[in-house]
């Protein structure tokens, strides 16, 4: 990753410096400045296990699997007995944990089902990393991310969501492979040589442990947030060694799973040892938790280990076993040892960390801070009026389905208020059906933690009240109040063009922000001219400040990337804040110099582009015509592009071409896999759509394309699915060809 010194322009603009007092960047604030009088603001380490059940730790009753390190933290710290994830499966749970919104409001409410774009975060989905980074924390996520596509420079990338350091899996699906051939490091994939060619030389969670320790060492003298997300003990039960369970008489999957849990415990021990080695144990809060209840996949038997403890249900269930999870908080000298039965959902994490760091948090979140419990307090922390969950998942596992009497594929909701817990099931996947079509169950957790007795008939008024809370907790499109800094620029920049760059600083907190100062940094050879600035002197809650610049990209450049960096410093409650927004653009390849097949050109950008010619986003490295030819109705075409919706592939024409022609449809190979595929193909010239195929199906054959692209700088090929549930949507552009304006050159 290039350093700032390599790419930042000497003519960078400090905007408004003469009118407003300079404010030190938050990163320059002494580490010892606390969130309250006399209290040092802590480092934070959050360790999130993957599918670790409530009963799989010794501190929560486990008697077979060994977890001595975590058990010691529980004994020396605060153990929560009534802690909850925000969902019974990975993606919605983790989204809520990051953003402080329950699954009736959060951006991600389902698992991806093979499409990472369906669980992508966006600008405005403020994470706890963004909040702490504004207060000068160095931030890292190491391990499983699980949101958005395998693509750098987009809003769902961890670097765009507040984590300045990322090492691990980008997508949910890739995290199921413990021996990956490559892992993401910030904006690039890095090979794991030990795993090349399918070898099992490097166990990814071990690599995450090592990177976490390196991060602690590198930032031991400044405040830091480390979000460590190893993908254990998720299925498969793959682990380098089944020690210390080699001699157990259990099936292989069960031995492997137990070894994964104990290995997780070892990672916790290694991180704590690193903190102690650098004298950071007393100034760091360590949180250990899980994203949902225990799985039963890959032949693992959770009942062998009583993985859900006294609770009913497993991963995917909204009963307690699917959503009640371990939560342990440890910081010697800061956190008082003991237990807490406060109903604590992981939505509480963002406001808690914000308060501990002395940072303003978004005011439109569902979580409530428990900082008083983690900062030396001996009292209690206010709890939410109720906790809400939603579930709609395509996965079906035997035990989870049996617990629900065969209703695992239905939409379901749950609410806990005080000791009451209601769960209800829709007749199908549509949650908008009338209330009288749902099946409602009610449990009294005060006397029935195992949810063995449905008391809805005995307490209809309670059931009705909780159903009302469920109904009111869901918002189809939860409109977030803007928070923090947003940099608006075109997705693609071209040489010789002048663009408008806009900065918006939105105060979505409850505090007044004052003394704003802006700085825009661009590549050295760009021309930058300020246009407007308004509102940065004093920003009250709910208001935004705005600034605009005109930037001109030079006609010629030797740069391989064009980075933009925008920084705004201000104060809130007397404490400095520093917001940063970054975008990195890639200069376009040269436009065609003659008539050309698109398969002979290098694309400018691609989402879901694949073979037979372009194998991945490294296209241009393979010659056209390689791989299996594209075939429609038995007719083969050697030149072409394959895509999987949603797909966008963009080429730089530079105004040099006059026509684009192709044949687009669901190819024979894809049709043989499944004949239900149906998609819509579009062609865009710059910002104008010039072709729409309507619905394409294998049975109806492909469509010819022949459109005028005269003067167009960009050609964009788009494929989107025609029906929401369709996943059989592989599509091909055969003989995709552009005709040059001057064919004699």
């Amino acid at each position: 990753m290039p350093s700032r010194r390599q790419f930042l322009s000497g003519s960078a603009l400090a905007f408004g410096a003469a009118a407003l007092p300079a404010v030190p960047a938050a990163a320059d604030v002494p580490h010892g400045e606390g969130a309250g009088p006399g209290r040092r603001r802590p480092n934070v380490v959050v360790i999130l296990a993957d599918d670790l059940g409530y009963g799989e730790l010794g501190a929560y009753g486990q008697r077979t699997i060994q977890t001595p390190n975590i058990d010691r933290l529980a004994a020396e710290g605060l153990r929560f007995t009534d802690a909850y994830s925000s969902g019974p499966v990975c993606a919605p749970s983790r989204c809520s944990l990051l953003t402080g919104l329950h699954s009736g409001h959060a951006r991600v409410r389902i698992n991806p089902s093979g499409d990472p774009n369906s669980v992508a975060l966006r600008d405005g989905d403020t994470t706890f990393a963004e909040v702490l980074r504004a207060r000068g924390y160095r931030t890292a996520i190491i391990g499983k991310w699980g949101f958005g596509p395998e693509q750098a420079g987009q809003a769902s990338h961890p670097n765009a969501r507040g984590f300045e350091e990322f090492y691990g899996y980008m997508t949910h699906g890739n995290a199921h492979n413990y021996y990956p051939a490559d892992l993401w490091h910030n904006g690039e994939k890095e090979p794991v040589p030990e795993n090349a060619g399918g070898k099992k030389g490097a166990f990814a969670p071990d690599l995450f442990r090592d990177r976490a320790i390196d991060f602690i060492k590198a930032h031991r003298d400044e405040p830091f947030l480390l979000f460590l997300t190893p993908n254990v003990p998720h299925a498969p039960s793959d682990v380098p060694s089944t020690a210390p369970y080699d001699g157990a008489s259990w099936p292989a999957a069960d031995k492997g799973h137990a070894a994964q849990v104990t290995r997780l415990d070892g990672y916790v021990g290694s991180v704590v040892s690193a903190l102690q080695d650098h004298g950071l144990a007393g100034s760091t809060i360590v949180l250990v938790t899980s994203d949902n209840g225990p799985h039963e996949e890959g032949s693992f038997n959770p009942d062998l280990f009583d993985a859900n403890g006294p609770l009913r249900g497993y991963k995917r269930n909204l009963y307690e076993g699917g959503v009640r999870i371990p939560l342990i908080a440890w910081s010697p000298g800061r956190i008082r040892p003991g237990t807490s039965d406060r109903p604590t959902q992981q939505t509480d994490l963002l406001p808690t960390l914000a308060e501990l760091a002395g940072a303003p948090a978004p005011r439109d979140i569902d979580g409530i801070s428990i900082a008083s419990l983690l900062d030396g307090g001996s009292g209690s922390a206010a709890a939410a009026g109720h906790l809400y969950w939603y579930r709609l998942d395509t996965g079906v596992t035997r035990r989870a389905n049996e617990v629900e009497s065969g209703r695992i594929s239905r939409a379901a909701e749950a609410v806990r208020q005080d000791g009451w817990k209601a769960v209800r099931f829709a007749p199908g996947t549509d949650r908008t059906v009338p209330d009288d079509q749902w099946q409602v169950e009610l449990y009294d957790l005060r006397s029935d933690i195992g949810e063995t007795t449905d008391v809805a008939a005995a307490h209809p008024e309670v059931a009705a009240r909780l159903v009302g809370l469920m109904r009111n907790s869901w918002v189809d499109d939860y409109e977030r109040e803007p928070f923090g800094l947003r940099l608006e620029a075109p997705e693609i920049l071209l040489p010789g063009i002048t663009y408008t760059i806009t900065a918006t600083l939105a105060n979505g907190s409850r505090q007044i922000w004052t003394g704003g100062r802006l700085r825009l940094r661009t590549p050295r050879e760009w021309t930058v001219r300020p246009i407007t600035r308004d509102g940065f002197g004093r920003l009250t809650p709910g208001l935004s400040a705005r600034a605009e610049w005109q930037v001109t990209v030079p006609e010629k450049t030797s740069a391989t990337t064009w980075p933009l960096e925008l920084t705004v410093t201000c104060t809130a409650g007397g404490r400095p804040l520093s917001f940063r927004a970054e975008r990195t653009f890639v200069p376009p390849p040269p436009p065609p110099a003659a008539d050309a097949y698109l398969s002979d050109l290098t694309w400018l950008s691609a989402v879901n582009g694949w073979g037979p010619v372009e194998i991945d986003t490294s296209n241009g490295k393979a010659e056209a015509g390689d791989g299996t030819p594209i075939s429609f109705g038995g007719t083969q075409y050697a030149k072409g592009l394959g895509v999987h919706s949603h797909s966008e592939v963009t080429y730089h024409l530079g105004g040099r071409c006059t026509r684009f022609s192709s044949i687009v449809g669901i190819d024979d190979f894809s049709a043989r896999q499944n004949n239900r595929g149906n998609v819509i193909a579009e062609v865009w010239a710059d910002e104008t759509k010039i072709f729409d195929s309507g619905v394409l199906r294998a049975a109806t054959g492909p469509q010819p394309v022949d459109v005028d692209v005269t003067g167009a700088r960009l050609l964009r090929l788009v494929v989107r699915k025609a029906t929401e549930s369709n996943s059989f949507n592989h599509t091909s552009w055969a003989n995709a060809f552009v005709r040059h304006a001057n064919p004699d050159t």
Side-chain angles (χ1 to χ4, degrees):
M1 197 172 186
S3 70
R4 293 183 186 174
R5 181 170 298 177
Q6 289 173 308
F7 66 67
L8 295 182
S9 168
S11 60
L13 174 65
F15 194 37
L20 297 172
V23 179
D28 298 329
V29 177
H31 191 181
E33 180 191 331
R39 172 63 71 178
R40 176 187 177 101
R41 58 185 174 143
N43 305 312
V44 178
V45 176
V46 180
I47 302 175
L48 180 68
D50 200 347
D51 291 0
L52 179 73
Y54 183 85
E56 293 196 81
L57 302 176
Y60 287 85
Q62 178 59 220
R63 293 293 176 263
T64 304
I65 302 174
Q66 301 173 27
T67 56
N69 294 294
I70 299 176
D71 296 346
R72 179 171 66 86
L73 299 191
E76 297 175 359
L78 183 62
R79 181 175 65 89
F80 289 80
T81 61
D82 290 44
Y84 291 94
S85 67
S86 298
V89 290
C90 170
S93 169
R94 291 170 184 243
C95 177
S96 292
L97 182 150
L98 283 163
T99 62
L101 297 170
H102 62 57
S103 54
H105 292 157
R107 173 74 61 195
V108 177
R109 310 184 194 190
I110 59 172
N111 254 0
S113 300
D115 180 9
N117 290 283
S118 67
V119 294
L121 301 181
R122 302 180 191 172
D123 288 326
D125 290 326
T126 304
T127 70
F128 59 70
E130 292 175 84
V131 171
L132 265 63
R133 193 177 182 190
R135 276 286 287 142
Y137 277 68
R138 308 306 297 267
T139 58
I141 177 170
I142 299 174
K144 175 179 174 179
W145 173 243
F147 299 106
E150 293 263 348
Q151 182 183 352
Q154 40 92 16
S156 195
H157 191 284
N159 291 158
R161 301 273 56 85
F163 293 99
E164 59 181 325
E165 179 72 11
F166 167 52
Y167 182 72
Y169 303 97
M170 185 80 79
T171 65
H172 176 97
N174 286 345
H176 298 169
N177 177 12
Y178 283 109
Y179 298 91
D182 50 57
L183 290 165
W184 281 84
H185 182 211
N186 295 326
E188 297 180 353
K189 281 186 178 181
E190 287 186 354
V192 181
E194 300 90 338
N195 296 340
K199 292 185 294 185
K200 291 187 172 185
F203 189 59
D206 289 354
L207 301 179
F208 302 152
R209 171 203 57 204
D210 297 343
R211 291 284 179 126
I213 293 171
D214 290 344
F215 178 81
I216 291 170
K217 180 180 179 180
H219 301 293
R220 61 188 181 274
D221 296 326
E222 51 193 335
F224 63 78
L225 163 70
L226 169 61
F227 189 29
L228 178 58
T229 61
N231 44 325
V232 287
H234 194 289
S237 299
D238 201 352
V239 69
S241 167
T242 57
Y245 310 105
D246 295 333
S249 59
W250 316 322
D254 297 331
K255 287 199 290 188
H257 181 91
Q260 286 178 327
V261 175
T262 297
R263 205 173 190 90
L264 168 71
D265 182 76
Y267 300 149
V268 174
S270 296
V271 168
V272 170
S273 293
L275 295 172
Q276 293 170 331
D277 291 344
H278 295 296
L280 299 174
S283 60
T284 303
I285 289 177
V286 177
L287 301 172
V288 180
T289 188
S290 176
D291 60 354
N292 48 248
H295 74 80
E296 52 173 315
E297 297 153 350
S299 300
F300 168 60
N301 177 11
D303 298 336
L304 177 65
F305 303 105
D306 202 16
N308 49 9
L311 309 177
R312 177 187 183 185
Y314 310 86
K315 174 183 177 180
R316 296 186 176 86
N317 297 135
L318 291 184
Y319 297 120
E320 293 287 284
V323 293
R324 191 183 292 210
I325 40 84
L327 174 61
I328 295 164
W330 177 86
S331 184
R334 180 186 295 265
I335 295 177
R336 293 175 180 267
T339 60
S340 172
D341 61 359
R342 175 190 185 272
T344 302
Q345 200 170 43
Q346 289 173 343
T347 51
D348 295 338
L349 184 60
L350 188 154
T352 299
L353 299 188
E355 183 175 347
L356 291 169
R363 62 182 183 177
D364 62 349
I365 59 176
D366 299 308
I368 297 177
S369 174
I370 58 169
S372 61
L373 297 178
L374 306 184
D375 207 24
S378 57
S380 60
H386 69 278
L387 305 181
Y388 172 81
W389 297 269
Y390 170 73
R391 191 279 316 277
L392 180 62
D393 189 66
T394 57
V396 177
T397 48
R398 180 180 63 81
R399 291 176 180 84
N401 196 31
E402 289 176 352
V403 163
E404 294 188 10
S405 302
R407 297 174 291 184
I408 194 69
S409 297
R410 300 186 190 181
E413 294 178 304
V415 155
R416 173 173 173 171
Q417 186 180 53
D418 300 324
W420 294 107
K421 169 86 174 289
V423 183
R424 71 171 185 164
F425 300 89
T429 60
D430 182 5
R431 67 162 309 282
T432 66
V433 299
D435 289 342
D436 60 8
Q437 295 186 28
W438 294 69
Q439 296 173 340
V440 181
E441 301 169 3
L442 179 68
Y443 300 96
D444 186 350
L445 299 180
R446 293 161 294 192
S447 58
D448 184 19
I449 191 176
E451 295 168 295
T452 61
T453 304
D454 176 9
V455 295
H459 300 278
E461 74 289 350
V462 176
R465 184 178 76 244
L466 268 57
V467 166
L469 290 175
M470 294 181 199
R471 189 187 314 111
N472 294 333
S473 295
W474 178 275
V475 177
D476 287 336
D477 294 303
Y478 187 68
E479 186 174 348
R480 295 296 309 271
E481 187 171 4
F483 179 93
L485 181 62
R486 182 170 183 180
L487 173 63
E488 298 177 58
E491 290 299 315
I492 294 173
L493 301 184
L494 300 176
I497 306 296
T498 298
Y499 298 94
T500 298
I501 305 296
T502 303
T504 304
L505 180 66
N507 182 0
S509 76
R510 301 182 187 279
Q511 297 177 279
I512 297 173
W513 300 355
T514 59
R517 182 178 179 181
L518 296 85
R519 186 172 180 86
L520 176 67
R521 296 177 182 266
T522 70
R524 190 173 303 277
E525 65 270 21
W526 287 21
T527 301
V528 181
R529 184 172 68 87
I531 305 174
T532 60
R533 185 203 71 182
D534 180 54
F536 286 89
R538 177 181 172 84
L539 199 57
T540 56
L543 295 184
S544 299
R546 183 180 176 87
E548 289 183 326
W549 297 264
Q550 280 191 341
V551 300
T552 303
V553 181
E555 284 282 1
K556 296 183 179 180
T557 179
S558 60
T560 57
T561 59
W562 291 333
L564 294 182
E565 182 189 82
L566 178 66
T567 304
V568 175
T569 56
C570 59
T571 60
R575 301 185 180 96
L577 300 176
S578 179
F579 294 95
R580 182 183 295 107
E582 299 167 313
R583 291 278 300 276
T584 299
F585 301 88
V586 178
D595 294 356
Y597 286 97
L598 293 188
S599 55
D600 294 328
L601 302 176
T602 301
W603 56 47
L604 176 56
S605 67
V607 175
N608 288 335
W610 54 280
V613 178
E614 280 70 28
I615 307 221
D616 54 29
T617 53
S618 65
N619 90 317
K621 297 180 180 178
E623 295 183 2
D626 65 338
T628 303
I630 293 171
S631 173
F632 290 125
T635 301
Q636 291 188 347
Y637 303 86
K639 302 279 190 176
L641 302 165
V643 297
H644 185 286
S645 69
H646 177 83
S647 168
E648 294 191 20
V649 185
T650 304
Y651 288 88
H652 179 216
L653 301 187
R656 307 285 182 84
C657 298
T658 59
R659 299 204 72 79
F660 166 69
S661 59
S662 182
I663 301 170
V664 62
I666 297 175
D667 57 76
D668 294 347
F669 173 81
S670 301
R672 285 194 296 271
Q673 310 310 305
N674 193 292
N675 62 8
R676 288 187 290 154
N678 49 90
V679 297
I680 297 172
E682 301 169 348
V683 179
W684 292 72
D686 294 329
E687 299 303 316
T688 302
K689 182 166 68 172
I690 57 176
F691 173 81
D692 188 315
S693 68
V695 178
L696 295 173
R697 295 182 174 86
T700 56
Q703 276 199 27
V705 183
D706 186 14
V707 289
D708 186 355
V709 294
T710 302
R713 291 179 172 271
L714 298 175
L715 175 69
R716 185 157 54 102
L717 308 183
V718 177
V719 173
R720 54 189 177 87
K721 55 189 177 183
T723 59
E724 193 60 35
S725 62
N726 170 39
S727 60
F728 305 103
N729 43 31
H730 297 78
T731 308
S732 292
W733 301 84
N735 278 4
F737 187 81
V738 287
R739 189 167 299 281
H740 200 268
N742 186 357
D744 296 330
T745 60

